[in-house]
Amino acid sequence: MMLPSQREFHFTDADFEKVRTMIYDYAGISLAPSKQDMVYGRLAKRLRALNLKTFNEYLKVLEKGDHKEFELFTNSLTTNLTSFFRESHHFDILAQQLKALKSVGTINIWCSASSTGEEPYSIAITACEAFDTLRPPVKVVATDLDTNVLDVAKAGIYGGDEVLKLGTQRVAKFFTKQADGRYQLKQELRDMIVFRKLNLIESNWMLRGPFDAIFCRNVMIYFDKPTQLKILQRFAPLLKNDGLLFVGHSENLYHAAEHFKLQGKTVYELVKPNLINRV
């Protein structure tokens, strides 16, 4: 743990508690007391950018309602660890589901924490492979709270070290190599996805369901149990009766057993059919 005397900026326990309250009230993110050094390290960059001397000064800027700075504050405190085909068994299950839905028309999927785009593009690649075409009848809504990562996702450009792990066949089929050595997803895959900013604890998500699948992986770990339950309760009516909810490997939905039951490895289905979704 960093000692106060080692810090460039004055940062008190009271400052940390204010940060915890602000990010919880806005985004539902529950920061543990052990995250104090992480918060200091990430927000110190904002103090330098604004030529401020203390965290108290910075918090006053946020309290005055500087919307742009509050967006940067939020972006600084969100975690965006991701990769292509992370937890690969989920994409095997998704492929099976897509093949079973070939005759139903357009298939709709919501990726609720898209980060820099690797997850929704993995969904798109899975869809292309399941239907053996670059234009499968699949639409993906990919949302995230962090506007910076959404900009990266929309561009769909990634480094060779990451992309080449997918294998030469997938790279040749789904990516175009750029002059700088990076790789961009082909236009057909980018057209499958709509990227939007969305805060999971907002009262109105402005989403049109129902969805055949919802991906909410490694997101619930940042919320306390009451917040998790509220979000899961709102997922239920947005999922089709035979739809699937994909969560992270370290997450479980025991506290939402009234709404979801385990269908496979960290994959859930509805306990009760949605009357509004019946055909």
Side-chain angles (χ1 to χ4, degrees):
M1 183 175 179
M2 185 183 295
L3 297 174
S5 59
Q6 297 174 313
R7 289 174 174 157
E8 177 183 356
F9 303 103
H10 188 56
F11 183 55
T12 67
D13 289 344
D15 293 333
F16 177 61
E17 289 304 317
K18 280 188 178 181
V19 170
R20 291 180 72 189
T21 299
M22 284 181 173
I23 198 65
Y24 181 81
D25 289 346
Y26 176 67
I29 296 172
S30 182
L31 290 173
S34 61
K35 299 294 185 181
Q36 189 162 341
D37 282 346
M38 181 207 77
V39 167
Y40 174 86
R42 293 187 180 186
L43 293 183
K45 298 174 183 177
R46 296 306 312 146
L47 271 72
R48 294 187 194 102
L50 298 172
N51 293 315
L52 300 176
K53 301 299 182 184
T54 69
F55 269 78
N56 185 49
E57 290 179 288
Y58 181 63
L59 292 170
K60 286 180 178 177
V61 171
L62 297 176
E63 288 169 343
K64 287 178 181 177
D66 186 326
H67 297 297
K68 181 60 179 176
E69 186 55 42
F70 202 90
E71 183 175 283
L72 293 169
F73 162 79
T74 304
N75 290 351
S76 298
L77 295 180
T78 49
T79 302
N80 295 294
L81 178 64
T82 187
S83 61
F84 286 105
F85 291 93
R86 187 181 183 191
E87 299 179 46
S88 60
H89 67 282
H90 281 165
F91 298 97
D92 294 334
I93 294 170
L94 176 64
Q96 294 172 10
Q97 181 193 22
L98 293 175
K99 290 174 182 177
L101 294 173
K102 278 191 173 182
S103 62
V104 303
T106 302
I107 299 167
N108 295 294
I109 299 173
W110 177 22
C111 176
S112 66
S114 69
S115 186
T116 45
E118 288 89 338
E119 181 170 290
Y121 286 123
S122 296
I123 293 171
I125 290 172
T126 301
C128 290
E129 292 176 339
F131 285 88
D132 194 25
T133 175
L134 288 178
R135 298 185 183 277
V138 176
K139 296 296 182 184
V140 182
V141 177
T143 64
D144 203 281
L145 178 64
D146 187 333
T147 53
N148 288 335
V149 298
L150 285 172
D151 288 340
V152 174
K154 289 174 185 176
I157 300 173
Y158 302 94
D161 289 344
E162 182 177 8
V163 172
L164 293 175
K165 293 176 184 177
L166 298 176
T168 54
Q169 287 187 333
R170 272 181 170 163
V171 173
K173 188 172 184 178
F174 301 116
F175 293 83
T176 301
K177 191 172 184 180
Q178 307 295 290
D180 61 2
R182 295 186 298 166
Y183 292 80
Q184 184 173 37
L185 270 298
K186 289 187 176 179
Q187 187 66 51
E188 291 91 340
L189 280 84
R190 286 182 280 138
D191 288 344
M192 289 172 59
I193 305 171
V194 175
F195 289 99
R196 287 175 41 194
K197 180 183 177 182
L198 186 143
N199 183 343
L200 285 172
I201 70 164
E202 285 179 343
S203 58
N204 190 344
W205 287 346
M206 299 295 289
L207 285 174
R208 295 182 64 183
F211 294 98
D212 295 280
I214 297 176
F215 279 70
C216 188
R217 307 191 307 164
N218 306 302
V219 178
M220 293 297 174
I221 54 175
Y222 299 105
F223 301 133
D224 58 21
K225 291 296 183 184
T227 304
Q228 290 179 16
L229 184 57
K230 288 178 182 177
I231 293 170
L232 291 166
Q233 287 171 333
R234 295 177 67 188
F235 278 167
L238 288 174
L239 197 63
K240 287 187 178 178
N241 289 336
D242 56 354
L244 298 177
L245 172 61
F246 296 83
V247 303
H249 70 279
S250 63
E251 300 167 320
N252 65 71
L253 307 189
Y254 296 141
H255 54 306
E258 179 183 350
H259 305 283
F260 295 98
K261 59 183 177 181
L262 192 64
Q263 190 256 21
K265 186 179 178 183
T266 55
V267 180
Y268 289 80
E269 60 186 0
L270 290 169
V271 170
K272 300 175 183 177
N274 292 314
L275 294 177
I276 59 173
N277 291 342
R278 285 184 178 168
V279 178

